[in-house]
């Protein structure tokens, strides 16, 4: 068998892999009325960061094998790249269209884009495989004779731009763009009825704004968000068959009964609050589409709820408030995990379950007293207030944390305690990926520059100071946060040590 046989076999296998990964379990359902326009309207425009990475990796073999089977004498480099882009886009569009007929799949334009990037990258890897392989071997064996300033500078700039692009993608994907408008609002349980919470709730409100400190102080004084700033508002001070929001943008909440229970399921009141538990909980009659669209449009929110647990040992986490479809897909969930409050928010970064990561606020439910919970989200930042303005916890979605979203598989049990969160260990792990390769390449460049002191000092400044500073400026510009001096100093120090050590060897 000649080499071309294996190339064609690899090409066919890459297509089979792409189809199997995107269309499994092949349970196609054809609607009664279907048209190209209907299929087009069902395409979404956002996915998760983890899906972006998976889609690129999935189509890498296709791009590599396509470049291998195209005759180099007939197709030049640019022509091959164009063919790769068209073929990758066509294959991706084909499987994404077929996903319309799979009930458990969702078609995404972002998947088409990332699949195409994967095919393009695979073709580039095939064409540059010899140069890349020789460069890596020379770096590992420290063979400076096979390294040139041009190849080293190209590698340094290319890797740095890749880190900047990856950080930029992580920062801009902390948003509400992938919130599903078909989810219902549930109070006291999950949509599937298997995550009950036992406790009392007085009121629940959501605003499509991130309230200021003065506005939040007013909320705590009045125990509610002012009417002019709220999108939905439920008050549970009386026993009713259903509850209607005081605004016009929310659905009616009705009682859901656990038919398997023989216990008395009548509601009870405590301090003008209604009890929810394993036997009865509240569910919106229809999906809260109007609310979801408003929050998705504003990309911020303030959530207020006054609740009291009836059981200090509830786990699951037990769902206090949830906008979800089942235990794996949600827009937003507030839960109780023993004495701690659990918070999950869906975004392209945190995934469909909102658990990458799940945020933990400690000791919120250390007693059965009523607590006023107020949560705001805006521009990569979550603020949690408990009972008063100065009892506050804040969490920032920073690149050093977010980069774990590029891990191809779900990180099970990834929880972050907001109170004692240690960013340093995340930052050091981020530096290992971002700055160690840059430092190694920079060290080799420095060793080849020569003995000109001024040029060497200038090179050290560029290699050691510019990358950490640029990443901090990127974070500041997108997240509207001040420069983190400690992170900047750590980055400069790590790069300096690596550059100087490598250049001296």
């Amino acid at each position: 068998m000649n080499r071309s046989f294996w190339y064609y076999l690899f090409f066919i296998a890459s297509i089979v892999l792409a189809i199997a990964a995107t269309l499994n379990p092949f349970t196609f359902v054809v609607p009664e009325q279907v048209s190209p326009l209907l299929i087009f309207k069902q395409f979404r425009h956002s996915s998760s960061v983890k899906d972006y990475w998976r889609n690129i990796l999935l189509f890498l073999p296709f791009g590599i094998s396509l470049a291998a089977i195209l005759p180099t004498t007939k197709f030049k480099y640019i022509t091959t790249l164009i063919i790769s882009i068209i073929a990758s886009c066509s294959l991706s569009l084909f499987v994404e269209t077929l996903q319309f007929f799979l009930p458990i799949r969702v078609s995404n334009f972002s998947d088409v884009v990332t699949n195409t990037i994967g095919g393009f990258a695979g073709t580039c890897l095939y064409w540059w495989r010899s140069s890349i392989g020789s460069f890596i071997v020379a770096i590992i064996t420290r063979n400076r004779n096979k390294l040139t300033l041009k190849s080293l500078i190209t590698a340094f700039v290319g890797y740095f731009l890749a880190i900047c692009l990856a950080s930029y993608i992580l920062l801009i994907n902390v948003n509400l763009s992938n919130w599903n408008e078909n989810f219902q609002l549930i109070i006291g349980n999950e949509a599937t009825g298997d995550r009950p919470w036992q406790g009392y709730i007085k009121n629940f409100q959501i605003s499509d704004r991130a309230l200021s400190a003065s506005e939040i102080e007013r909320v705590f004084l009045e125990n509610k968000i002012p009417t002019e700033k709220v999108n939905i508002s439920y008050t549970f001070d009386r026993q009713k068959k259903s509850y209607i929001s005081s605004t016009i943008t929310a659905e009616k909440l009705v009682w859901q009964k656990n038919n398997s229970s023989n216990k008395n399921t009548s509601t009870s009141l405590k301090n003008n609050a209604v009890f929810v538990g394993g036997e009865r909980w509240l569910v919106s009659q229809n999906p809260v589409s109007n609310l979801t669209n408003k929050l998705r449009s504003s990309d911020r929110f303030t959530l207020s709820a006054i609740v009291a647990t009836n059981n200090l040992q509830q786990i699951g986490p037990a769902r206090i408030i949830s906008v979800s479809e089942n235990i794996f897909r949600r827009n937003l969930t507030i839960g109780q995990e023993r004495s701690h409050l659990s918070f999950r928010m869906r975004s392209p970064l945190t995934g469909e379950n909102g658990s990458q990561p799940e945020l933990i606020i400690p000791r919120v439910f250390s007693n059965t007293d009523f607590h006023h919970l107020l949560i705001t989200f805006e521009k990569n930042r979550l603020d949690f207030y408990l009972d008063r303005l100065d009892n506050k916890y804040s969490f920032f979605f920073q690149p050093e944390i977010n980069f774990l979203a590029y891990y191809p598989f779900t990180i099970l049990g990834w929880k972050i305690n907001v109170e004692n969160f240690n960013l340093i260990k995340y930052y050091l792990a981020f530096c290992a990926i971002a700055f160690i390769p840059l430092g190694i390449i920079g060290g080799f460049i420095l060793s080849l520059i020569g003995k000109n002191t001024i040029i060497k000092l200038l090179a050290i400044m560029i290699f050691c100071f510019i990358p950490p500073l640029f990443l901090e400026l990127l974070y500041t510009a997108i997240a509207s946060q001040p420069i983190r001096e400690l992170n900047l100093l750590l980055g400069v120090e790590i790069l300096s040590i690596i550059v100087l050590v490598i250049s001296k060897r």
Side-chain angles (χ1 to χ4, degrees):
M1 295 182 183
N2 57 25
R3 184 178 297 180
S4 61
F5 170 81
W6 294 107
Y7 286 159
Y8 279 102
L9 184 63
F10 183 31
F11 177 68
I12 295 171
S14 68
I15 296 176
V16 172
L17 174 65
I19 293 174
T22 52
L23 298 180
N24 186 56
F26 304 101
T27 53
F28 294 100
V29 177
V30 181
E32 293 184 0
Q33 294 183 345
V34 61
S35 66
L37 180 61
L38 178 62
I39 295 175
F40 178 80
K41 288 182 177 180
Q42 293 301 312
F43 269 73
R44 296 182 184 175
H45 295 275
S46 64
S47 187
S48 69
V49 172
K50 201 176 293 292
D51 284 339
Y52 298 156
W53 184 237
R54 288 169 176 167
N55 290 334
I56 291 173
L57 291 177
L58 179 64
F59 269 62
L60 272 177
F62 178 76
I64 293 172
S65 60
L66 180 63
I69 66 173
L70 291 176
T72 54
T73 55
K74 185 177 181 180
F75 297 108
K76 295 184 179 180
Y77 180 63
I78 298 298
T79 307
T80 303
L81 288 178
I82 294 173
I83 293 173
S84 175
I85 292 172
I86 294 174
S88 300
C89 182
S90 300
L91 177 60
S92 179
L93 192 60
F94 171 72
V95 296
E96 290 297 318
T97 301
L98 288 181
Q99 284 184 350
F100 171 81
F101 303 99
L102 292 171
I104 64 171
R105 295 281 187 171
V106 177
S107 302
N108 268 297
F109 283 117
S110 60
D111 291 350
V112 177
V113 173
T114 49
N115 288 154
T116 304
I117 292 173
F120 172 81
T123 299
C124 292
L125 282 175
Y126 178 80
W127 275 88
W128 297 338
R129 65 192 185 282
S130 298
S131 300
I132 293 173
S134 300
F135 180 83
I136 294 174
V137 170
I139 289 288
I140 293 174
T141 59
R142 300 193 297 274
N143 189 344
R144 288 175 170 79
N145 296 326
K146 293 187 176 181
L147 295 172
T148 64
L149 276 177
K150 180 181 178 181
S151 65
L152 287 167
I153 292 172
T154 300
F156 186 92
V157 173
Y159 193 81
F160 177 57
L161 291 177
I163 293 298
C164 291
L165 177 61
S167 299
Y168 174 77
I169 291 172
L170 292 173
L171 285 168
I172 65 171
N173 276 285
V174 184
N175 56 60
L176 313 181
S177 63
N178 65 339
W179 276 33
N180 194 313
E181 63 182 17
N182 297 316
F183 293 170
Q184 293 172 285
L185 169 64
I186 309 106
I187 296 178
N189 212 327
E190 188 57 84
T192 49
D194 52 359
R195 292 293 187 274
W197 176 72
Q198 296 179 15
Y200 293 87
I201 181 166
K202 283 189 177 183
N203 61 45
F204 171 63
Q205 299 172 294
I206 295 184
S207 170
D208 61 356
R209 295 179 47 193
L211 300 185
S212 65
S214 60
E215 291 171 324
I216 290 171
E217 189 171 23
R218 179 184 170 187
V219 172
F220 283 124
L221 288 173
E222 299 178 1
N223 284 330
K224 63 179 182 178
I225 301 176
T227 304
E228 68 274 11
K229 297 181 176 69
V230 76
N231 293 96
I232 68 169
S233 179
Y234 294 101
T235 301
F236 308 103
D237 57 355
R238 288 188 299 160
Q239 294 185 17
K240 297 180 181 179
K241 292 183 178 180
S242 62
Y243 297 87
I244 301 176
S245 172
S246 58
T247 64
I248 61 174
T249 58
E251 294 290 335
K252 180 190 294 185
L253 291 178
V254 296
W255 287 103
Q256 180 75 34
K257 179 182 176 182
N258 185 351
N259 295 321
S260 63
S261 175
N262 295 321
K263 296 181 180 180
N264 183 2
T265 58
S266 61
T267 58
S268 61
L269 288 173
K270 172 186 175 182
N271 296 337
N272 294 323
V274 70
F275 180 79
V276 292
E279 290 73 50
R280 283 170 69 98
W281 59 94
L282 289 162
V283 181
S284 61
Q285 278 189 322
N286 298 300
V288 285
S289 302
N290 290 332
L291 172 67
T292 300
N293 289 329
K294 283 184 174 293
L295 298 185
R296 197 163 55 189
S297 176
S298 68
D299 206 22
R300 55 179 61 86
F301 64 77
T302 298
L303 182 153
S304 171
I306 299 178
V307 299
T309 184
N310 198 44
N311 181 349
L312 303 181
Q313 298 301 317
Q314 298 183 72
I315 60 173
R319 310 306 202 243
I320 302 171
I321 298 163
S322 191
V323 180
S324 58
E325 180 183 55
N326 52 47
I327 61 174
F328 300 112
R329 301 184 70 216
R330 72 196 65 258
N331 291 339
L332 177 81
T333 290
I334 298 173
Q336 177 186 344
E337 188 72 26
R338 291 191 168 87
S339 66
H340 306 321
L341 180 143
S342 164
F343 182 81
R344 299 180 187 177
M345 183 188 76
R346 181 177 188 164
S347 72
L349 178 78
T350 58
E352 290 189 341
N353 199 18
S355 60
Q356 301 290 295
E358 175 184 348
L359 302 182
I360 301 296
I361 314 300
R363 300 180 303 282
V364 173
F365 302 107
S366 56
N367 54 53
T368 58
D369 297 339
F370 277 94
H371 294 290
H372 191 167
L373 311 176
L374 195 146
I375 304 170
T376 66
F377 168 73
E378 184 177 25
K379 277 194 174 182
N380 295 66
R381 172 174 177 154
L382 278 162
D383 288 321
F384 301 85
Y385 300 86
L386 180 62
D387 296 324
R388 59 184 190 274
L389 182 64
D390 60 347
N391 191 9
K392 176 184 176 183
Y393 302 89
S394 296
F395 181 80
F396 301 88
F397 288 95
Q398 304 174 57
E400 296 79 21
I401 305 167
N402 302 353
F403 86 97
L404 288 175
Y406 285 125
Y407 187 71
F409 306 102
T410 300
I411 304 173
L412 298 177
W414 183 17
K415 298 182 181 182
I416 290 180
N417 188 319
V418 177
E419 181 183 54
N420 57 15
F421 173 62
N422 183 7
L423 179 62
I424 295 299
K425 65 178 183 180
Y426 283 90
Y427 187 73
L428 291 176
F430 176 79
C431 286
I433 296 173
F435 294 151
I436 289 180
L438 286 178
I440 292 173
I441 298 171
F444 277 102
I445 295 175
L446 195 63
S447 67
L448 296 179
I449 284 178
K451 296 182 179 180
N452 190 311
T453 305
I454 296 177
I455 294 178
K456 280 200 169 188
L457 288 175
L458 182 61
I460 291 173
M461 288 289 294
I462 293 173
F463 299 147
C464 302
F465 187 72
I466 297 299
L469 177 62
F470 191 88
L471 288 176
E472 283 302 310
L473 292 175
L474 182 67
Y475 170 73
T476 299
I478 296 176
S480 301
Q481 298 297 323
I483 288 180
R484 303 161 300 175
E485 293 86 355
L486 178 60
N487 289 23
L488 177 60
L489 291 174
L490 279 173
V492 172
E493 184 176 357
I494 290 170
L495 273 172
S496 300
I497 292 172
I498 297 171
V499 167
L500 293 176
V501 169
I502 296 296
S503 65
K504 297 297 182 181
R505 298 192 66 174

